[in-house]
Amino acid sequence: MRSGRDPCAFSRMDLFTRKKVQPTEPILIPHGELTFLTKQEILMAHKIFSELQDRENGPYSSRVSMEKIHTLPELKSNPFRKRICHVFSTSDMKDGSLSFEDFLDLLSAFSDSATLEIKSHYAFRIFDFDDDGTLDARDLEKLVNSLTGETDDTRLTGEEMRQLISNILEESDIDKDGTVNLSEFQHVISRSPDFVSSFKIVL
Amino acid sequence: MCLIVLFSNVLTTFSPYFQWIQKEEQKAGINRSLQLEEGKPSQQIASSSSDDNSEDESMSEGEMARLKEDVEEKKKLIATLRNKPWRMKRRLKCLKEAQAFVEKFEGALGKGKGRRLYAFKVMMTKKIIKFNRDFENFKTACIPWESRIKEVESHFGSSVASYFIFLRWMYGLNLVLFGFVFGLVVIPEVLMGMPYGSIARKTVPREEQDSAMDFSVLFEFGGYCKYSIMFYGYYNYQRSIGLLQFRLPLSYLLVGLGIFGYSLMVVIRTMARNANEGGDGAEDGAFTFCWKLFTSWDFLIGNPETADNKFASTTTSFKESIVDEQENLKDENIHLQRFLRVLANLLILCCLGGSGYLIYYVVKRSQEFAKKDRNELSWLQKNEVEIVMSLLGLVCPPLFEVIAELENYHPRIALKWQLGRIFALFLGNLYTFLFALFDEVNAKLENEKEIKNETIWALKEYYTNYTLYHNVTENIPPPNISPADVIRGPCWETEVGIEFVKLTVSDIQVTYLTILIGDFLRAVIVRFLNYCWCWDLEAGFPSYGEFDISGNVLGLIFNQGMIWMGAFYAPGLVGVNVLRLLSSMYYQCWAVMACNVPHERVFKASRSNNFYMGLLLLVLFLSLMPVVYSIMTLPPSFDCGPFSGQDQMYDVIMETIEKDLPPFMADIFSYASNPGLIMPAVLLMVLAIYYLNAVSKAYQNANMDLKRKMQMQRDEEKNRRNNKDSTNQVMKDLEDLLPNKSLIPPPSAEETEKPADQLSKSPKVTGKPGAAATGKGVHVQKDVSLAAANPRAPVTRPPGPRPPGPLPGNARGPPPGQGMGRGRGGPPPRR
């Protein structure tokens, strides 16, 4: 029974953001309908994003480079930060830079109220290191390495790694093609009690 | 602030509405004029709409319906757009299109008067949605400490934050209880009751008056504190007070019981909601490795140190599970293991018994001390009970942990044991304390009887003397004694209340001091002495403290239990607790951020939520029992509290029923309390419980059955794919014969729809060659191939009835007519 935003709310939103953020702000699109974020969160995201923007070359570049994004404390120590940027970036140069819309996409997928469906979809793409649409053994190995850290004393040995990956494939790979595809991944993830509560980033 | 928001919403709701109506009318007017001009009413809609099939009928019923449907569909699309994992640009484009469509055609729907109504309705739904959204935004902005908890969350991960969320939940609960108690009991008594000093129960006795304002006395809740609004004894027994005829005693009793009722309801509702959110939780062992790999990273972690810890713990858990997998049974000295475990449990039982005895002993001793003069006692002697209880709570859990080392359990199991033991310790202590307290109460009751007799004797003496002296027998004025000098009983209710308040306060002190010394001081020493010490303090022995989630949660739960127990005898206790929780929130947030390091042991929050709630429920029940027992059986004090002068506390209810309610209500109540009616009701409830239990068991069985089926299907699937071209000879033959080799339907379709699979097994196998020669069970296929040897082979058998045996899957197949019509294996009807 929900309908679109009425024009009145539209203009009020613009007025609001104009007053609050910058007088010459371009019209903010109705992100409320498109994301899982509340108005406060969007405004907060905008503030953070424009701060990142300002530190780069002037306020007119619409994108923020991956390095800048990684200075956010929420992403600083995340082992998947590069993957996250790559997945959400719409840049043609494949450099992982984010526009504001991409940034909102990111926050929306990681927000509290996003559905399991969305979250597992993006999780799959983040874990798919070579972007080929399936998680094969090499992806899984990279994933394990990201999770155990880069230092030698926490890394698994080759034997352990082989064992682990074969166990994982044994559990999740239903069609036995040696890779985990999206539906298999979602099948596994949807039964996990912890996934939704831990796949979150808050500003 | 809320009001302002509401008001502004209302304003903005109405002003555009008029504009909208006008606009709609204009549109309608234009349409009408168009109609008149062209003379062809049929075309105007087609011209304005972009309908592809452009039929020459305007706004016929069907078209209207279709248009309406389209609009609804677009609306639905707008609502669910955020659920699509598309890029923002694509979603935005989609949204704009859909919105434009809705904007364009929404006005065209409806006719004449209906149009106006429709426009109004549309407008209102929009406004309501807008309002709801604003309200949601407002609600999220109102949740207290959100940013604080998020900060903790980003440093320590979700498990530590779960404690703070629990604390916040508890604060909310206590705030409601506080509202009940203060709104319905304390405030009316303060505003409308008799003022301080007017009667004996509201006055400090003469002999205590000198020291009533001393800090040491006040600190132990004696003196003015004891005769204040905080405790049971202060309340008067007047049936109704003030202009409103407020029934204070009744309200006191109902609030006392209502606290339990409300808490019970809230806890159970939260538990039910958690259970629903927890998902099926099925197949616990099925995806251990996958879950470890895919869901172990907590994306909330924003602190390099925590991240390092997380790396380490993930590695350990990987290694552990690999080792577990490799050698499922460790072949150790099982006898030694058993002996050690029994020994450990014995030791712990000794600890529990010892602590129980210690408390009993101390409480007994404190009763003896209480008989002596207070000034002779040292501070230690006066506060022995509280100190001993707090110390036991402080010393025993680490002791248990040390003993548990003997047992050599898996950390997760060890944690459960540890929690259970701490729980037993707290509970044992609390109940020993209660029993000792009841002993004391009984002694007080004896004492009270004597004093009551004395009072009555004194009064009688006064009256006799008065009659003798003045020679009047009627209208004797009551004895003119200052309320401070009246002989008074011990008022056991207030004593119990004081015990609970003291216990709570000392608990607060110990908790806060432990944090200050155990965490803060330790962190300071480790941090600053590290520059000039022999070994590395930060990495070595003392290091920084960890945040003890389970211990803190248990502490919180037991504190709440004490509040529930004490709230009836000390209405002020709820206020104390609210203050405690409020300060605790800030203090512990600060402490955890300032001086704790993240955990090494992973303790998942989502799993344990309902565990904590279950503990809370248990504690609630256990604290409900003594209170209800004391309300139901012990006679209230004769000279203090709202129930003085009655034999039992619940007599207030009887009185109200008799005097205030109309007589037929009294009749109803008397019938309802008849054992003849109560017994069948209890029986009915028992039966209902039995029935529901049976139903839930049946569901559980069905669930298990489905799960097993799914498992079987998955195994079969695996086997089939593995053995596609090796083992199953019959299938291979069949496959060779079939023209279309793409036998494998997409896996997702099969996983979900078993019936479809069964369907495809039977009649379709013969009907459409190659469509569904699924290898489900070898001999089904064999039978099929026997019955209809080869789809391409010429039909040799004469038409006859379909053989019932060979097609076992047919039982659930489509209705025979349809199946036979297409099936070649059956009697071909075309011939």
Side-chain angles (χ1 to χ4, degrees):
Chain A
M1 280 304 288
R2 301 193 61 166
S3 78
R5 295 176 69 95
D6 50 67
C8 162
F10 223 111
S11 58
R12 262 185 17 140
M13 177 97 174
D14 298 341
L15 213 78
F16 188 48
T17 47
R18 267 196 205 123
K19 228 189 304 176
K20 275 255 158 152
V21 188
Q22 278 176 3
T24 56
E25 192 59 41
I27 291 170
L28 260 188
I29 50 176
H31 294 114
E33 289 295 344
L34 298 175
T35 64
F36 292 100
L37 305 171
T38 62
K39 195 155 77 186
Q40 287 98 327
E41 283 170 324
I42 292 179
L43 291 177
M44 179 84 173
H46 190 266
K47 213 178 99 202
I48 288 173
F49 192 79
S50 44
E51 270 169 22
L52 288 176
Q53 255 181 343
D54 289 343
R55 273 189 269 154
E56 214 165 356
N57 38 8
Y60 294 107
S61 76
S62 61
R63 298 191 159 273
V64 171
S65 69
M66 187 160 75
E67 286 72 32
K68 290 276 178 198
I69 294 284
H70 287 172
T71 56
L72 288 175
E74 287 79 17
L75 285 173
K76 211 164 45 191
S77 43
N78 194 320
F80 303 110
R81 53 185 181 275
K82 277 188 188 151
R83 285 300 307 159
I84 291 175
C85 280
H86 275 293
V87 165
F88 286 97
S89 167
T90 50
S91 160
D92 299 327
M93 319 247 289
K94 303 263 179 236
D95 57 351
S97 61
L98 298 182
S99 66
F100 180 56
E101 290 172 5
D102 302 340
F103 190 59
L104 276 187
D105 256 348
L106 190 158
L107 291 180
S108 169
F110 279 104
S111 76
D112 247 337
S113 44
T115 57
L116 177 73
E117 181 103 25
I118 290 273
K119 279 180 188 272
S120 56
H121 179 93
Y122 280 113
F124 183 77
R125 289 186 34 197
I126 288 170
F127 295 157
D128 182 14
F129 283 84
D130 49 10
D131 288 321
D132 62 350
T134 57
L135 301 182
D136 51 19
R138 223 167 315 129
D139 286 330
L140 291 177
E141 192 176 326
K142 270 189 187 167
L143 179 53
V144 174
N145 280 339
S146 322
L147 281 176
T148 53
E150 298 302 319
T151 52
D152 278 336
D153 54 330
T154 56
R155 217 172 242 277
L156 296 181
T157 63
E159 175 64 26
E160 283 170 334
M161 181 72 82
R162 234 168 22 80
Q163 177 80 34
L164 184 65
I165 287 174
S166 74
N167 281 337
I168 285 163
L169 287 179
E170 172 68 28
E171 278 175 5
S172 60
D173 185 15
I174 297 171
D175 58 4
K176 288 292 163 209
D177 58 352
T179 62
V180 182
N181 60 30
L182 180 60
S183 61
E184 287 163 353
F185 182 77
Q186 284 181 334
H187 176 75
V188 169
I189 287 286
S190 63
R191 277 160 181 73
S192 161
D194 305 315
F195 177 69
V196 175
S197 63
S198 65
F199 196 76
K200 272 196 293 194
I201 291 179
V202 281
L203 284 178
Chain B
M1 178 181 171
C2 179
L3 277 178
I4 294 169
V5 170
L6 278 175
F7 189 62
S8 70
N9 261 316
V10 167
L11 275 185
T12 49
T13 308
F14 281 108
S15 57
Y17 162 66
F18 297 116
Q19 293 170 10
W20 172 271
I21 292 288
Q22 280 170 4
K23 222 163 57 187
E24 287 304 310
E25 277 179 316
Q26 276 172 8
K27 260 192 212 170
I30 290 167
N31 284 346
R32 232 173 284 137
S33 63
L34 270 173
Q35 271 181 12
L36 288 177
E37 265 178 23
E38 291 180 9
K40 260 194 259 168
S42 51
Q43 285 200 342
Q44 56 95 2
I45 277 298
S47 65
S48 72
S49 76
S50 59
D51 251 357
D52 43 352
N53 49 359
S54 65
E55 293 168 75
D56 280 353
E57 281 176 352
S58 93
M59 304 300 279
S60 70
E61 285 298 312
E63 197 164 324
M64 278 271 293
R66 212 183 51 220
L67 202 57
K68 215 170 205 169
E69 223 165 72
D70 279 355
V71 168
E72 286 301 317
E73 200 174 305
K74 290 281 178 196
K75 276 185 191 171
K76 210 182 268 171
L77 177 70
I78 291 173
T80 57
L81 202 55
R82 61 174 84 174
N83 286 332
K84 299 219 161 38
W86 298 342
R87 295 275 177 212
M88 186 68 84
K89 263 188 193 141
R90 190 171 160 200
R91 274 187 280 169
L92 190 63
K93 207 173 134 221
C94 197
L95 177 78
K96 287 226 168 107
E97 277 172 15
Q99 270 179 347
F101 186 86
V102 171
E103 288 287 322
K104 199 168 174 187
F105 291 112
E106 218 163 37
L109 293 172
K111 270 184 200 165
K113 277 184 185 175
R115 168 172 300 182
R116 235 176 135 156
L117 192 69
Y118 187 77
F120 179 73
K121 243 162 58 184
V122 167
M123 194 69 196
M124 275 338 265
T125 36
K126 275 182 180 175
K127 285 296 151 194
I128 287 169
I129 287 164
K130 168 98 177 64
F131 175 75
N132 278 345
R133 193 161 53 215
D134 279 354
F135 190 65
E136 285 294 316
N137 282 344
F138 176 70
K139 253 188 356 198
T140 43
C142 280
I143 297 173
W145 305 308
E146 194 68 11
S147 62
R148 210 168 263 274
I149 289 176
K150 275 179 180 166
E151 203 180 330
V152 171
E153 212 168 29
S154 75
H155 265 75
F156 294 91
S158 52
S159 56
V160 173
S162 77
Y163 166 72
F164 287 98
I165 290 169
F166 189 62
L167 182 62
R168 187 174 63 186
W169 183 85
M170 211 67 127
Y171 179 72
L173 175 68
N174 274 286
L175 220 52
V176 174
L177 299 186
F178 179 77
F180 276 149
V181 171
F182 271 68
L184 293 176
V185 174
V186 176
I187 303 281
E189 176 72 28
V190 170
L191 290 183
M192 301 186 280
M194 295 171 100
Y196 174 83
S198 54
I199 45 175
R201 71 187 67 186
K202 298 192 178 189
T203 317
V204 179
R206 183 78 65 197
E207 64 265 28
E208 288 176 29
Q209 260 175 5
D210 298 335
S211 63
M213 215 40 208
D214 291 0
F215 178 73
S216 63
V217 176
L218 284 182
F219 194 66
E220 287 163 26
F221 299 95
Y224 284 109
C225 253
K226 188 174 170 183
Y227 302 95
S228 76
I229 205 82
M230 263 187 90
F231 294 106
Y232 172 94
Y234 184 82
Y235 295 85
N236 202 356
Y237 68 100
Q238 263 178 305
R239 247 190 90 231
S240 56
I241 52 173
L243 283 172
L244 300 172
Q245 298 292 308
F246 189 77
R247 308 268 189 279
L248 188 83
L250 182 69
S251 153
Y252 195 101
L253 187 69
L254 290 184
V255 165
L257 295 176
I259 283 176
F260 286 107
Y262 178 77
S263 312
L264 212 59
M265 201 184 73
V266 169
V267 171
I268 286 181
R269 240 186 51 188
T270 313
M271 275 182 86
R273 209 170 45 221
N274 280 353
N276 281 342
E277 270 175 13
D280 48 1
E283 304 173 60
D284 267 338
F287 299 118
T288 351
F289 284 98
C290 285
W291 287 349
K292 276 213 174 99
L293 186 63
F294 295 139
T295 69
S296 65
W297 184 258
D298 197 339
F299 281 76
L300 287 164
I301 293 173
N303 184 11
E305 210 175 310
T306 320
D308 285 345
N309 276 352
K310 189 77 191 174
F311 288 143
S313 78
T314 319
T315 314
T316 331
S317 81
F318 276 145
K319 284 184 176 161
E320 250 177 32
S321 51
I322 290 171
V323 169
D324 275 1
E325 185 78 6
Q326 275 169 354
E327 34 174 331
N328 249 334
L329 280 172
K330 270 188 215 166
D331 214 22
E332 282 179 5
N333 191 345
I334 193 93
H335 293 295
L336 180 68
Q337 189 78 48
R338 271 186 198 154
F339 171 72
L340 283 179
R341 282 181 188 177
V342 170
L343 184 70
N345 276 317
L346 271 180
L347 283 177
I348 282 167
L349 276 182
C350 287
C351 280
L352 290 178
S355 74
Y357 178 73
L358 192 62
I359 288 175
Y360 192 77
Y361 174 74
V362 172
V363 173
K364 282 277 161 204
R365 222 161 81 113
S366 77
Q367 287 162 14
E368 275 166 36
F369 286 144
K371 285 174 195 154
K372 291 183 193 165
D373 186 17
R374 288 196 77 78
N375 297 329
E376 288 172 17
L377 301 174
S378 64
W379 179 82
L380 196 68
Q381 281 169 327
K382 277 190 254 178
N383 293 298
E384 218 171 31
V385 183
E386 288 78 27
I387 292 170
V388 165
M389 278 189 74
S390 301
L391 276 184
L392 278 177
L394 208 61
V395 170
C396 279
L399 193 67
F400 289 167
E401 209 153 337
V402 172
I403 295 174
E405 294 279 308
L406 283 179
E407 295 180 308
N408 200 14
Y409 276 126
H410 188 273
R412 208 177 312 126
I413 302 169
L415 190 68
K416 282 222 169 112
W417 276 96
Q418 173 76 359
L419 284 179
R421 281 164 185 162
I422 297 176
F423 195 74
L425 172 81
F426 281 4
L427 216 59
N429 291 357
L430 207 59
Y431 260 63
T432 325
F433 174 73
L434 269 184
F435 282 127
L437 212 59
F438 269 117
D439 278 357
E440 202 182 324
V441 166
N442 284 332
K444 286 247 164 74
L445 282 176
E446 293 295 315
N447 188 9
E448 194 187 80
K449 255 180 220 159
E450 286 168 23
I451 293 177
K452 197 175 174 182
N453 288 339
E454 250 171 64
T455 324
I456 294 170
W457 184 250
L459 265 182
K460 249 184 201 160
E461 212 167 340
Y462 165 77
Y463 283 128
T464 349
N465 282 343
Y466 196 88
T467 332
L468 284 178
Y469 195 70
H470 292 281
N471 218 354
V472 208
T473 46
E474 277 170 17
N475 290 333
I476 306 170
N480 186 18
I481 315 171
S482 150
D485 297 325
V486 173
I487 312 169
R488 54 179 86 192
C491 196
W492 60 269
E493 291 97 338
T494 298
E495 292 296 323
V496 172
I498 287 177
E499 287 297 327
F500 276 111
V501 175
K502 268 158 89 175
L503 211 58
T504 308
V505 169
S506 82
D507 186 48
I508 297 172
Q509 287 164 351
V510 169
T511 317
Y512 283 14
L513 278 179
T514 318
I515 292 173
L516 206 60
I517 295 170
D519 287 331
F520 183 64
L521 209 63
R522 178 172 162 189
V524 167
I525 289 173
V526 167
R527 181 83 178 78
F528 291 106
L529 239 58
N530 203 23
Y531 297 121
C532 50
W533 203 257
C534 320
W535 67 83
D536 189 3
L537 283 174
E538 284 186 346
F541 161 57
S543 103
Y544 297 106
E546 274 181 6
F547 187 75
D548 179 16
I549 303 166
S550 48
N552 272 306
V553 170
L554 281 184
L556 205 59
I557 287 173
F558 272 91
N559 172 57
Q560 192 58 41
M562 277 190 300
I563 304 304
W564 277 323
M565 271 196 256
F568 187 75
Y569 297 117
L573 189 57
V574 188
V576 173
N577 193 40
V578 167
L579 284 184
R580 179 230 166 109
L581 292 177
L582 190 65
S583 61
S584 192
M585 190 79 200
Y586 289 104
Y587 183 54
Q588 286 195 304
C589 263
W590 165 78
V592 81
M593 293 300 274
C595 39
N596 281 1
V597 289
H599 267 248
E600 304 237 352
R601 192 156 63 185
V602 193
F603 191 72
K604 285 285 184 184
S606 58
R607 278 288 172 87
S608 46
N609 261 346
N610 247 4
F611 180 64
Y612 290 147
M613 282 291 163
L615 289 187
L616 194 65
L617 190 65
L618 187 62
V619 166
L620 175 57
F621 183 70
L622 289 175
S623 51
L624 175 77
M625 281 200 306
V627 175
V628 170
Y629 170 78
S630 65
I631 289 176
M632 284 316 213
T633 56
L634 297 181
S637 300
F638 76 100
D639 65 343
C640 69
F643 310 111
S644 56
Q646 271 149 346
D647 291 339
Q648 296 293 340
M649 291 181 188
Y650 55 82
D651 284 349
V652 186
I653 298 179
M654 308 286 166
E655 200 183 74
T656 309
I657 290 173
E658 277 169 24
K659 292 190 182 163
D660 290 344
L661 294 180
F664 74 91
M665 289 291 276
D667 281 348
I668 291 175
F669 274 107
S670 71
Y671 287 133
S673 60
N674 190 352
L677 213 63
I678 288 179
M679 287 303 284
V682 169
L683 205 66
L684 194 70
M685 271 199 278
V686 168
L687 286 179
I689 289 172
Y690 175 74
Y691 171 72
L692 288 180
N693 210 10
V695 167
S696 81
K697 263 213 185 106
Y699 280 140
Q700 223 166 19
N701 278 342
N703 220 344
M704 287 296 290
D705 217 35
L706 282 178
K707 220 178 279 170
R708 218 171 26 235
K709 263 186 201 161
M710 266 171 64
Q711 184 69 32
M712 238 160 64
Q713 205 163 7
R714 218 175 114 211
D715 287 350
E716 260 172 26
E717 200 92 359
K718 272 187 192 174
N719 283 340
R720 197 185 74 206
R721 292 184 205 271
N722 283 344
N723 309 341
K724 201 161 42 183
D725 39 26
S726 57
T727 50
N728 193 341
Q729 192 59 42
V730 184
M731 243 198 80
K732 209 177 159 192
D733 291 348
L734 202 70
E735 240 169 80
D736 285 342
L737 290 171
L738 298 176
N740 185 1
K741 295 220 169 181
S742 62
L743 296 175
I744 301 124
S748 57
E750 275 180 42
E751 250 186 45
T752 50
E753 298 189 57
K754 180 158 179 148
D757 218 9
Q758 281 176 340
L759 279 183
S760 68
K761 227 189 290 170
S762 44
K764 277 188 203 158
V765 168
T766 48
K768 280 192 232 161
T774 50
K776 269 210 145 236
V778 182
H779 79 184
V780 172
Q781 289 302 332
K782 207 167 166 185
D783 290 341
V784 168
S785 62
L786 283 178
N790 185 347
R792 282 179 163 188
V795 179
T796 50
R797 282 198 297 167
R802 180 195 283 263
L807 294 174
N810 209 12
R812 281 201 229 165
Q818 200 190 354
M820 269 148 58
R822 274 191 271 131
R824 275 197 227 166
R830 284 181 205 142
R831 277 174 41 170

